[in-house]
Amino acid sequence: MTTARRSPSHCPFSTEGNHRMQLGLVGLGKMGYNMRERLRNHGHDVVGYDPRPEVSDVASLSDLAAALEAPRVVWVMVPSGHVTHETIVELADVLEGGDLVVDGGNSRFTEDRPHADLLGHTGIGFLDCGVSGGVWGLESGYGLMVGGADADVARVMPIFDALRPEGERADSFVHAGPVGAGHYAKMIHNGVEYGLMHAYAEGYELLEAEDLVTDVPAVLRAWTKGTVVRSWLLDLLVKALEEDPELAEISGYTQDSGEGRWTVEEAINHAVPAPVISAALFARFASRQSDSPAMKAVSALRNQFGGHAVQRISESG
């Protein structure tokens, strides 16, 4: 049931100047598992819990709390909504005053204040942290957007510094404001991501539609250096086309995680025009009604950067 613990003496990353911490990590899925590895590589002591015993270090949240020295810091990395809420409710029972919970999942920002209040009744602190980086974060690091009290943020800073990419802290980390600000910032980040992905996808479809262009993947690759549209997302689209030049094995059916919807709702609430993000969200809805090359490209991009499942042609009937 337990996984091998890495000795800090074999740490491949420098921890000089960083305070080594002990952290409880709840949720060892695609991102949580890699986050545990990255933190251990930086010399931190991470005790992970997951319902799947083959990846978990302990058998329950109670065992997790018992394995950590007080005052504890527990990072929650589970699906948003009901699962996150139930996890925080259970943590409120097994943790104690002086402990701190970080919600690093994609929770809606409106859920953060109720969770902070729930934990605060027993003196447990709360931070919300939007995390970007997907399945590449283990090697490349994660972009972090945090909401909460200054003292709580400072307490977890060694963990944040280990998770983010090397370089200037401000390039990949922000204390965005009080509780809720981190998840709000991440929500808008994901809304922007929707628009960026769809712009690349529409460009891909237009290139495919013109017979004059004989090598579409090569055109996109030529945009990756020196042009004003170069980006990591473009690099990932080029990678997806290298693996499947016609995207023949991918259906255009594209899910949405919820944050695009929330972003559009916030645009309406604040009377902020957001036609690009809105159109990208609606295009995902359209993808479930009919197939299109553009939506295949969006689906391929989501698989590349986040490991999100794609629907294969063979699965769609």
Side-chain angles (χ1 to χ4, degrees), residues 37-276:
E37 293 306 298
R38 184 173 176 87
L39 289 169
R40 287 178 176 174
N41 288 343
H42 280 75
H44 295 292
D45 178 18
V46 184
V47 181
Y49 167 70
D50 192 276
R52 297 168 299 152
E54 66 271 19
V55 298
S56 190
D57 298 317
V58 293
S60 66
L61 288 180
S62 295
D63 289 346
L64 178 72
L68 300 172
E69 298 177 5
R72 308 167 184 86
V73 177
V74 176
W75 188 300
V76 177
M77 204 70 192
V78 300
S80 62
H82 177 75
V83 177
T84 293
H85 179 70
E86 291 302 309
T87 300
I88 289 177
V89 168
E90 188 171 350
L91 285 173
D93 289 335
V94 301
L95 298 179
E96 57 190 8
D99 294 344
L100 176 63
V101 172
V102 182
D103 178 7
N106 281 334
S107 295
R108 189 165 188 171
F109 76 99
T110 52
E111 299 169 356
D112 292 326
R113 175 45 59 188
H115 287 159
D117 291 343
L118 171 67
L119 294 165
H121 286 315
T122 53
I124 302 168
F126 177 83
L127 294 174
D128 58 286
C129 183
V131 181
S132 180
V135 296
W136 298 87
L138 173 59
E139 296 181 4
S140 302
Y142 303 89
L144 304 170
M145 296 143 268
V146 183
D150 290 347
D152 290 336
V153 173
R155 179 176 168 185
V156 189
M157 193 57 71
I159 297 297
F160 295 143
D161 280 341
L163 288 173
R164 66 177 179 81
E166 295 182 4
E168 290 292 330
R169 181 184 288 165
D171 290 341
S172 56
F173 172 88
V174 62
H175 180 190
V179 166
H183 279 148
Y184 191 94
K186 178 57 163 47
M187 174 187 69
I188 302 304
H189 165 281
N190 281 25
V192 171
E193 181 184 287
Y194 274 47
L196 290 172
M197 285 196 294
H198 204 74
Y200 285 128
E202 289 181 357
Y204 164 75
E205 183 167 2
L206 282 166
L207 290 168
E208 281 284 351
E210 177 51 64
D211 291 339
L212 286 171
V213 179
T214 58
D215 193 340
V216 172
V219 171
L220 293 172
R221 182 175 178 179
W223 293 356
T224 62
K225 304 288 185 182
T227 76
V228 296
V229 299
R230 64 189 184 274
S231 75
W232 185 46
L233 283 174
L234 180 59
D235 293 342
L236 292 176
L237 179 55
V238 169
K239 184 176 184 295
L241 289 168
E242 288 174 351
E243 296 171 356
D244 183 2
E246 303 295 330
L247 300 181
E249 296 300 316
I250 299 176
S251 165
Y253 185 103
T254 307
Q255 291 284 7
D256 65 284
S257 62
E259 292 188 285
R261 300 185 189 212
W262 304 339
T263 302
V264 171
E265 289 175 10
E266 285 303 300
I268 295 169
N269 291 338
H270 292 288
V272 172
V276 173

Side-chain angles (χ1 to χ4, degrees), residues 23-39:
L23 180 76
L25 180 59
V26 181
L28 301 171
K30 287 177 293 188
M31 288 187 68
Y33 185 92
N34 283 347
M35 289 169 67
R36 178 176 65 175
E37 293 306 298
R38 184 173 176 87
L39 289 169

